[in-house]
């Protein structure tokens, strides 16, 4: 939401999409633990035997950190608004 408030629509869409992917993988893991889904062929979100899932998830987390740092840089460069209580 911070990227959307800063006017970075593309970064906001990337963050929303990756967030949905991370949440859905965690929900599927919980469904596996509870026995709702079958336990065949699904990897854990940040772990896998071959390393492919872990590399993709680490790249996704790195993209989220990049979006956050760009939004923080944009917010640091914008002038702060004066508080209404200072003029009283």
């Amino acid at each position: 939401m911070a990227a959307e408030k800063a006017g970075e629509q593309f970064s906001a869409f990337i963050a929303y999409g990756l967030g949905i992917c991370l949440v859905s993988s965690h929900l599927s893991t919980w469904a596996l633990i509870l026995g709702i889904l079958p336990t065949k062929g699904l990897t854990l979100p940040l772990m896998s035997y071959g390393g492919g899932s872990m590399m993709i998830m680490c790249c996704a987390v790195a993209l989220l950190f990049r979006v956050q740092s760009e939004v923080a840089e944009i917010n640091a460069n914008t002038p702060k608004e004066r508080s209404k209580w200072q003029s009283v």
Side-chain angles (χ1 to χ4, degrees), residues 44-61:
L44 292 173
L46 288 170
M47 296 180 264
S48 68
Y49 182 72
S53 176
M54 184 171 49
M55 287 175 37
I56 297 299
M57 286 296 175
C58 286
C59 289
V61 171

Side-chain angles (χ1 to χ4, degrees), residues 28-87:
S28 67
T29 301
W30 277 103
L32 291 172
I33 292 170
L34 295 174
I36 298 170
L37 292 176
T39 59
K40 306 293 182 212
L42 294 173
T43 62
L44 292 173
L46 288 170
M47 296 180 264
S48 68
Y49 182 72
S53 176
M54 184 171 49
M55 287 175 37
I56 297 299
M57 286 296 175
C58 286
C59 289
V61 171
L63 277 173
L64 287 175
F65 281 136
R66 176 64 186 213
V67 167
Q68 191 271 335
S69 68
E70 287 184 5
V71 169
E73 184 178 332
I74 289 171
N75 289 337
N77 291 335
T78 57
K80 301 292 185 249
E81 190 175 293
R82 232 181 121 173
S83 174
K84 293 179 182 179
W85 289 102
Q86 289 178 351
S87 62

